[in-house]
């Protein structure tokens, strides 16, 4: 009964967010005030980063400017000051985790408060075909564009999906013969790697952890037929479709209904116990 009630509420929420976001297309939503906010902008020395700094200044926010190029960063700060705004500059190498941590702590001491808005704007582009890129350039690209934002599993896997998509398009545009790309997106595989990870019990009846052999067989079948994308099981194609078609809030509602938002909590506790006991599960 509780499951059916929750299912009904989830569907109502999904419909509500669809209608609300459709209405926003016609009626512009109210903007929130950001005057007095402390905004950290990475890659603020030029391009979009500089424009972000100026735009936030227009709205009364103070900006913290992080860029590896001190000269261009100071130029951005000068423009902010000419507008009557406040800007604080730091020369930061985002590819160095230690440098990020050190400057974050220095910033807290200098300003006496924490950042309230973070704009992860910094980015580098190779501008070369993948086979023409030296390892160092690829590593720097990933460190700035991806690793500088986070160091966790889900985000890195999402980056892998994006890498696959860009590589597939590059191969097609170059008309490369004999090279195929296949993206395999399995649900949780019961190898022990995600031991303890749990979604809602009622949903798990429809979506249990995958048997490793079944997962390999499905992936192998995709390889053999040159299927560009395979989600295992087929039910997991739905989130891909929903993410493209439904409003963000609708996806979040469904995500929470399934228990996916907290599924990693028991996994984390299990991992802590394994580390304490001197053993860690490996796939």
């Amino acid at each position: 009964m509780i499951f059916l009630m929750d299912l009904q509420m989830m569907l109502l929420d999904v419909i509500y967010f669809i209608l609300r976001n459709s209405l926003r297309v016609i009626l512009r939503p109210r903007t929130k005030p950001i005057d007095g906010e402390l905004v950290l902008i990475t890659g603020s020395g030029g391009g979009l980063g500089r424009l972000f700094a100026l735009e936030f200044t227009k709205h009364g926010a103070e900006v913290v400017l992080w860029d590896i190029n001190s000269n261009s960063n100071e130029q951005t700060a000068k423009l902010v000051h000419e507008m009557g705004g406040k800007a604080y500059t730091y020369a930061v190498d985002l590819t160095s985790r230690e440098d990020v941590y050190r400057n974050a702590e220095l910033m807290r001491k200098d300003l006496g408060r924490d950042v309230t808005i973070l704009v992860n704007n910094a980015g580098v582009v190779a501008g070369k075909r993948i086979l023409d890129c030296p390892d160092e350039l690829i590593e720097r690209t990933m460190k700035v564009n991806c690793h500088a934002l986070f160091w966790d599993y889900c985000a890195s896997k999402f980056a892998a999906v994006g890498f696959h998509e860009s590589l597939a398009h590059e191969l097609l545009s170059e008309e490369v013969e004999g090279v195929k790309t296949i993206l395999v997106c399995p649900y949780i595989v019961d190898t022990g790697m995600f031991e303890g990870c749990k979604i809602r019990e009622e949903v798990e009846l429809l979506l249990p952890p995958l048997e490793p052999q079944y997962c390999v067989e499905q992936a192998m079948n995709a390889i053999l037929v040159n299927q560009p994308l395979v989600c295992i099981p087929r039910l997991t194609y739905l989130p891909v479709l929903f993410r493209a078609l439904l409003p963000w809030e609708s996806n979040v509602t469904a995500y929470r209904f399934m228990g996916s938002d907290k599924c990693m909590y028991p996994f984390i506790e299990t991992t802590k116990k394994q580390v304490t006991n001197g053993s860690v599960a490996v796939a």
Side-chain angles (χ1 to χ4, degrees):
M1 180 63 71
I2 295 177
F3 174 77
L4 293 177
M5 291 177 61
D6 286 349
L7 177 61
Q8 183 181 29
M9 290 301 299
M10 184 271 290
L11 292 175
L12 289 174
D13 283 342
V14 168
I15 294 173
Y16 163 74
F17 287 125
I18 291 174
L19 293 175
R20 192 185 74 172
N21 282 270
S22 298
L23 189 60
R24 283 181 172 180
V25 175
I26 303 173
L27 301 176
R28 184 177 179 180
R30 182 187 305 173
T31 60
K32 65 178 182 181
I34 59 170
D35 50 297
E37 300 280 359
L38 187 61
V39 184
L40 192 159
I41 304 169
T42 65
S44 52
L48 291 177
R50 178 171 292 174
L51 294 177
F52 271 125
L54 300 179
E55 194 64 28
F56 274 106
T57 300
K58 288 180 183 177
H59 288 269
E62 299 179 20
V63 293
V64 178
L65 308 177
W66 279 20
D67 200 286
I68 195 170
N69 189 321
S70 298
N71 292 332
S72 60
N73 208 28
E74 290 297 337
Q75 181 61 34
T76 300
K78 180 181 178 182
L79 294 174
V80 170
H81 294 151
E82 289 175 353
M83 294 176 61
K86 295 182 179 179
Y88 313 94
T89 60
Y90 296 85
V92 185
D93 180 3
L94 294 177
T95 66
S96 169
R97 186 172 7 181
E98 292 76 16
D99 201 30
V100 170
Y101 289 154
R102 182 178 62 81
N103 278 280
E105 186 60 31
L106 178 62
M107 180 193 65
R108 290 190 185 97
K109 290 181 179 179
D110 290 345
L111 305 183
R113 58 178 177 141
D114 287 325
V115 166
T116 55
I117 298 176
L118 171 62
V119 182
N120 278 312
N121 166 77
V124 296
V125 61
K128 298 181 179 180
R129 297 179 177 87
I130 190 167
L131 294 180
D132 295 331
C133 291
D135 292 345
E136 295 78 10
L137 181 57
I138 293 176
E139 288 177 357
R140 176 171 174 76
T141 300
M142 290 303 297
K143 283 181 177 180
V144 174
N145 296 355
C146 182
H147 299 168
L149 309 184
F150 39 64
W151 291 279
D152 67 49
Y153 181 85
C154 293
S156 66
K157 288 301 182 183
F158 199 84
V161 173
F163 169 74
H164 167 269
E165 185 172 318
S166 62
L167 177 60
H169 282 294
E170 180 174 324
L171 292 171
L172 288 172
S173 65
E174 294 292 331
E175 299 181 354
V176 177
E177 297 292 335
V179 180
K180 304 292 183 182
T181 60
I182 298 170
L183 180 63
V184 181
C185 297
Y187 179 59
I188 296 173
V189 184
D190 191 16
T191 61
M193 184 177 182
F194 285 95
E195 183 179 350
C197 184
K198 296 281 291 183
I199 59 174
R200 186 171 185 153
E201 290 183 4
E202 296 90 343
V203 178
E204 195 167 53
L205 294 174
L206 297 173
L207 202 60
L210 298 173
E211 289 294 329
Q213 183 62 36
Y214 173 77
C215 182
V216 171
E217 289 174 356
Q218 293 299 306
M220 192 65 197
N221 181 66
I223 293 171
L224 294 177
V225 299
N226 288 327
Q227 183 176 340
L229 168 66
V230 56
C231 293
I232 312 171
R234 289 187 175 89
L235 191 61
T236 54
Y237 280 105
L238 290 177
V240 178
L241 181 64
F242 290 163
R243 191 163 60 88
L245 298 179
L246 297 181
W248 164 257
E249 296 89 347
S250 297
N251 283 285
V252 171
T253 299
Y255 194 68
R256 289 177 174 172
F257 167 77
M258 294 175 63
S260 299
D261 59 329
K262 297 180 180 179
C263 70
M264 295 297 287
Y265 290 0
F267 165 77
I268 293 171
E269 291 303 316
T270 300
T271 303
K272 287 180 180 178
K273 292 178 182 178
Q274 290 173 340
V275 172
T276 301
N277 295 332
S279 63
V280 179
V282 179

